[in-house]
Amino acid sequence: MKMIIIFYITFACNFLGNVISHANPLSYESIFNFGDSISDTGNAATYYHPSMDENSPYGSTYFKHPSGRVSNGRLIIDFLAQAYGLPMLPAYLNLTQGQDIKHGVNFAFAGATVLDIDYFIQKKLNPPSTNISLTVQLDWFKKLKPSLCKNKQECDNYFKNSLFLVGEIGGNDINALILSYNNIAELREIVPLIVETIINVTTELIKEGAVEIAVPGNFPIGCNSAVLTIMNSDNKDDYDQFGCLAAYNIFIKYYNWRLNQAIETLRQKNSHVKIIYFDYYSDTKRLFEAPQQYGFYFGKNDTFKACCGKGGPYNVDIHIFCGSSKATVCSDPSKHINWDGAHLTEAAYRLIAMGIVEGPFASPSLKSPVFKIA
Ligand SMILES: *[C@@H]1O[C@H](CO)[C@@H](O)[C@H](O)[C@H]1NC(C)=O
Ligand SMILES: *[C@@H]1O[C@H](CO)[C@@H](O)[C@H](O)[C@H]1NC(C)=O
Ligand SMILES: *[C@@H]1O[C@H](CO)[C@@H](O)[C@H](O)[C@H]1NC(C)=O
Ligand SMILES: *[C@@H]1O[C@H](CO)[C@@H](O)[C@H](O)[C@H]1NC(C)=O
């Protein structure tokens, strides 16, 4: 809380002339990201524990120390930034006075939901771990905007070369609801409200000047090691041929289908805006379907085994977290898709990012990257 207040007071900079004169219409000059732990590059870490445990295995592969990311290395958003020759996005809550933010800022917060926490409290549902909803992140952006550009003309000019990412977000709403209902069929009732909120926030960003916006769908949670552990079933028929829980993936397909329909309506209302859908579902599912093709361990159990965790068929114990003294870290994270039960490894995120930047999982496609994803 203190962090946030200090930050608002101290922010003031003037770099816009620079942005406009160097703008390259063929690429992105800046990225603004909204989301949850899939793309948080340090907001939750700044909020909860600004002095990070240097022995934590998080960040160990790429950064060699905890970097505020919920993985062993880079996230999809980091690979995207690198592909467009941009610095990795600084976390909004970790910005310092005078910091250069012309290439974008990240508002994503681990644990964030689409719906405000009041919704969960009113319905007496399992509350999410944080009250930093998508709407709160939008408010953060609005507060920051005067330090990015000063008037409509300046902002329009600046945002012409900006990519906005709204999501992935919604995964934590779904998690909270799964734990509350324990019934996948009931979950469908909540989808329209989640989708409408994502669309409303996207509409707000368009009003603020965004003209290129990516809205990712959700992941195949039926293949997620944490979900496989918690929802473990004795009935073989509950699993698809690859070892994923079929009902959960069917639910996500439904969710993504509703999101896609709403995106299409939004496109029709805003013909001047390019709205891109990221198919994270297919982009990720292919890894579980042919792990050997991508250099991951194969064989049902190994494909789904978390690199960092403890015990059980998936190396996940919901009471023993990655980073705690009882958990172990695998010797070669690059052979694992799953990092800590709920989140994926850098190796998986790299492939997913390639599928987005190089195709075919972004439609319509993004601008051409400046660098190949390495
Ligand atoms: C905050 O930023 C500093 C440098 O700008 C960086 O060293 C640190 O790792 C960041 N912290 C988090 C939690 O992202
Ligand atoms: C979130 O909760 C904290 C306390 O837990 C509170 O101080 C803060 O004002 C809340 N933020 C929002 C946006 O509701
Ligand atoms: C979305 O925006 C519309 C139009 O402003 C409003 O009527 C509706 O209540 C909003 N929906 C949600 C879920 O916020
Ligand atoms: C693989 O997982 C199944 C079911 O989850 C379990 O019965 C079996 O013992 C596991 N095999 C190994 C080698 O861990």
Side-chain angles (χ1 to χ4, degrees), residues 17 21 74 78 139 145 151 161 172 280 291 322 332 336 343 364:
S21 59
R74 288 165 291 181
D78 296 315
D139 288 343
K145 198 180 162 196
N151 54 51
N161 299 305
N172 291 310
Y280 280 172
C322 169
D332 191 352
H336 287 259
H343 307 96

Side-chain angles (χ1 to χ4, degrees), residues 41-42 45-46 52 65 67-68 94:
T41 53
T46 302
M52 287 185 278
H65 64 91
S67 67
N94 194 30

Side-chain angles (χ1 to χ4, degrees), residues 1 4 47 117-118 130-133 136 139-140:
M1 202 53 220
I4 307 175
Y47 189 89
I117 197 157
D118 294 347
T130 174
N131 59 3
I132 309 296
S133 65
V136 174
D139 288 343
W140 287 353

Side-chain angles (χ1 to χ4, degrees), residues 232 301 305 312-314:
N232 176 59
N301 296 18
K305 264 202 170 88
Y314 305 105

Side-chain angles (χ1 to χ4, degrees), residues 332-351:
D332 191 352
S334 74
K335 294 202 159 56
H336 287 259
I337 299 173
N338 191 287
W339 166 246
D340 65 357
H343 307 96
L344 306 186
T345 55
E346 174 179 275
Y349 286 143
R350 174 180 161 271
L351 289 162

